[in-house]
Amino acid sequence: MASVLVVEDDRRVAAEIGSALLEYGFQVDEAPSGSIGLRKALDGNFDVIVLDRMLPEIDGLSLLTELRAAKVSTPVLILSALSAVNERVDGLRAGGDDYLAKPFEFIELTARVDALARRKMAAEAVNERVVGDLRLDLIERVLYCADREIELLPKEFAIIEFLMQNAGTLVSRKMIFESVWGYSFNHQSSVIDVHIGKIRKKLDPDGLNPRIHTVRNTGFILRAPS
């Protein structure tokens, strides 16, 4: 699950942006000023930063310049009511990755944030994922559990990849469904639970070392066995 820092001093706008991003499936943190935003951006591990240009204490472009000087490469989407070409150019030259003029549609904002998050993930792509004794070879598309090769069907592989990508984090059935199947989630469908059940049996036939945990009426968490 991608995490987004929203640096915006207008509380109403920040709340609306946060709500739109949360609904899309992002984790969201907020900063109401440039100084707080800079501290969080330097200390946090965010996938994308949504940065208002006009901020109290430290303006958006100064914040962005300091971030880039500190070698923080987190993708930044600049928001501004200043939409002239030279203003956009200044924002991009300061280190911004995208620029969205106010007022904007929230569906466009979430799409742009999603594109930046995917770009970051692609840049950080690795050949395997490891969670405890689980190792997922993304090149050969093979899962190993305690060095035992686990035979998975394509949808099972996609589900375990998503769970390992979000290890330790609660993911909803809707998130899994839309990541693996790519279309709207049917709340009446049991397909997620059926697939999860099959994966569990393959990983832990005796049920002694569960790795995928169910949170009732909410979703699932993948953790290394204790």
Side-chain angles (χ1 to χ4, degrees):
M1 181 186 300
S3 58
V4 182
L5 173 63
V6 178
V7 188
E8 168 62 71
D9 61 315
D10 186 318
R11 295 304 181 101
R12 180 186 62 80
V13 174
E16 290 176 346
I17 292 173
S19 178
L21 293 173
L22 285 169
E23 184 175 349
Y24 194 88
F26 293 107
Q27 292 181 330
V28 179
D29 194 2
E30 296 180 5
S33 69
S35 58
I36 295 174
L38 179 61
R39 174 174 55 80
K40 288 191 174 186
L42 290 171
D43 294 343
N45 184 24
F46 298 98
D47 295 295
V48 179
I49 298 171
V50 175
L51 177 65
D52 185 37
R53 182 161 176 170
M54 306 299 289
L55 293 166
E57 300 174 10
I58 301 175
D59 70 86
L61 294 195
S62 297
L63 185 158
L64 183 53
T65 300
E66 290 197 44
L67 276 185
R68 298 310 186 221
K71 307 301 182 184
V72 176
S73 60
T74 308
V76 174
L77 170 61
I78 301 171
L79 303 179
S80 179
L82 304 173
S83 58
V85 172
N86 63 311
E87 300 291 353
R88 298 199 301 271
V89 169
D90 287 345
L92 297 173
R93 284 181 173 168
D97 297 270
D98 198 358
Y99 197 106
L100 186 59
K102 295 181 178 179
F104 51 82
E105 297 292 336
F106 288 105
I107 189 172
E108 181 179 6
L109 180 139
T110 56
R112 287 174 182 255
V113 170
D114 185 49
L116 291 176
R118 285 187 282 108
R119 189 186 309 170
K120 180 175 184 289
M121 290 177 64
E124 296 177 345
V126 294
N127 294 334
E128 65 177 21
R129 296 191 186 279
V130 178
V131 178
D133 60 356
L134 295 180
R135 180 170 66 86
L136 191 67
D137 187 325
L138 297 174
I139 302 300
E140 299 296 330
R141 298 191 67 78
V142 176
L143 175 67
Y144 298 91
C145 179
D147 295 324
R148 174 172 56 94
E149 184 175 333
I150 306 297
E151 185 176 342
L152 295 174
L153 297 173
K155 284 292 188 288
E156 293 171 350
F157 186 94
I159 290 171
I160 197 69
E161 180 181 4
F162 184 76
L163 290 174
M164 291 180 73
Q165 179 183 330
N166 296 280
T169 302
L170 174 64
V171 295
S172 68
R173 290 172 174 82
K174 182 177 188 292
M175 291 167 61
I176 296 173
F177 200 95
E178 293 184 351
S179 172
V180 174
W181 278 267
Y183 51 88
S184 298
F185 176 60
N186 179 354
H187 291 274
Q188 303 302 316
S189 174
S190 62
V191 65
I192 299 294
D193 297 81
V194 170
H195 279 80
I196 292 288
K198 290 179 179 179
I199 295 170
R200 278 181 171 140
K201 288 182 180 179
K202 292 180 178 182
L203 297 180
D204 184 28
D206 299 324
L208 300 177
N209 295 294
R211 295 162 180 83
I212 303 174
H213 304 266
T214 300
V215 178
R216 188 176 180 182
N217 298 326
T218 306
F220 305 93
I221 300 177
L222 175 72
R223 297 194 187 99
S226 55

